Amino acid sequence: MKKNNTWNHKHIFSACIGAAALLLLGFSACDFQPAKAIARDRPVGGGLAQGRVLPNEFLESGGGGSGGSTIDTIQSGDKKNYPMLSKEAIKDLLDKTDAKHLPQNVMAEEPSFTPPYKVGKVKKEALELSVERLNALRRISGLYPVEMSDTDNDKAQYGAFLMKLTNQFKHGGIPKPDGMSEQDWRKGDDATATSNIYPINNLIGAIDGYNRDPGNPNVGHRLHQMSPGLKTVGIGFVPGSHCEKVIGNSAPTEDPMPADFDWNFVSYPAAGYFPLEGNLFGSPAFWHVKFNDSKYTVGSGKIIVTQVATGEQWVEEHAGGGTIIFNKSNTWRPELGTYTFEVTGVRGKDTGIPERFVFTTEFFNRHTL
């Protein structure tokens, strides 16, 4: 068994947004750390193992060890409204929203970086494809689709432009450029403070990159995109700068969350089938599980990841909390095949009784189906 409970991995950045805004999404301020540096193409802030073991089969075999009753963990998200997808359905969702479907030039109006400034405008079809990509990733994890907000698109566009103009990719506190109005500067600066941000040239690559969240063991960008509470999103882009507004957004025209939406946990990679590809989940790969804190409390314990085909295990300590993140020790490299993921220290919120939390994920290559 491999154990490595120390973490010295230096991440490039992590989301750094005001604690009050974080609490609106149910995150604690300690989930994020200040940005240290900016690297291009990162968000700011193996062998085939055959066979698939379903959670009930794994439990009956005696794998794991948190004890108590078993949480119904057959899948991430809401299994009634958004049941687990087949490999073919996942492939179809991702194939239809790949970057190859973007227009050759995504800009409807080009930006101007000299006074009088023009922030530019993204083609509607490019924005729509971006939101479809985000919703494809949410659907794989059992979440409802979010709605694109024209109001927040406008704010995010100012944010993307301001970062590119000043070459400062950070969450707020960008100095006002000479020749820019106070109103336009504040709109852009406020947007960067409430958004995922990314110095990148590809709209779809940005959506994927926020979920992969390389160099950020706190996966703050991913948590925003995959939040069970997110309802609208705003997207701004100029070549080399992407701004995705995910906090304090405008109200949706129609609530996208089903009235009976119910979930135990949200995981990424999702329980069930998940495509293993570098743009979505690479190495170092941080696997997270967010618990529904209205149902469960999670105290300190262990994360146990087992490769089913070989029986090899990776074990890490965790301090508890609503979101548990695996591979902060940076020792695990995902391969094609099936893994079980178990968290100890989970209790029913109302009962205080220990619960057994475990699910399985089969990583597959959608390009060879």
Side-chain angles (χ1 to χ4, degrees), residues 133-152:
R133 182 65 162 200
L134 171 56
N135 284 332
L137 298 177
R138 287 176 63 86
R139 177 62 186 86
I140 294 168
S141 285
L143 292 170
Y144 57 86
V146 297
E147 179 183 301
M148 182 170 67
S149 164
D150 291 337
T151 298
D152 293 317

Side-chain angles (χ1 to χ4, degrees), residues 5-200:
N5 299 323
T6 61
W7 169 44
N8 296 315
H9 180 66
K10 293 183 178 179
H11 61 284
I12 300 301
F13 48 76
S14 60
C16 180
I17 303 174
L22 293 172
L23 290 173
L24 289 174
L25 288 185
F27 304 151
S28 65
C30 63
D31 286 336
F32 298 84
Q33 298 179 15
K36 295 182 178 179
I38 300 299
R40 185 171 182 80
D41 291 336
R42 288 195 179 186
V44 177
L48 178 62
Q50 299 289 343
R52 177 170 183 255
V53 179
L54 295 173
N56 60 332
E57 295 170 335
F58 176 72
L59 290 168
E60 290 168 0
S61 72
S66 56
S69 59
T70 301
I71 297 175
D72 181 6
T73 57
I74 187 65
Q75 73 160 76
S76 169
D78 184 339
K79 67 178 181 181
K80 177 182 176 182
N81 291 301
Y82 307 103
M84 186 183 296
L85 297 175
S86 67
K87 295 178 184 178
E88 291 74 18
I90 292 172
K91 172 181 169 57
D92 186 58
L93 275 177
L94 295 177
D95 286 352
K96 287 179 177 178
T97 56
D98 271 342
K100 64 184 178 182
H101 299 297
L102 286 168
Q104 185 172 3
N105 181 4
V106 301
M107 303 304 297
E109 297 176 10
E110 296 295 334
S112 174
F113 297 101
T114 57
Y117 300 114
K118 294 181 180 179
V119 299
K121 186 175 181 179
V122 182
K123 290 178 179 177
K124 184 178 180 181
E125 58 264 40
L127 292 172
E128 289 175 342
L129 186 69
S130 297
V131 178
E132 288 173 8
R133 182 65 162 200
L134 171 56
N135 284 332
L137 298 177
R138 287 176 63 86
R139 177 62 186 86
I140 294 168
S141 285
L143 292 170
Y144 57 86
V146 297
E147 179 183 301
M148 182 170 67
S149 164
D150 291 337
T151 298
D152 293 317
N153 284 346
D154 178 64
K155 294 176 182 178
Q157 187 62 28
Y158 276 81
F161 176 83
L162 179 63
M163 290 187 293
K164 180 66 175 181
L165 174 65
T166 60
N167 197 32
Q168 295 197 38
F169 291 84
K170 60 182 183 177
H171 298 288
I174 299 176
K176 186 172 84 67
D178 293 338
M180 179 174 283
S181 71
E182 181 84 7
Q183 180 180 3
D184 289 352
W185 165 65
R186 287 197 178 277
K187 183 188 287 190
D189 194 56
D190 289 347
T192 66
T194 53
S195 297
N196 285 335
I197 58 178
Y198 202 157
I200 194 172

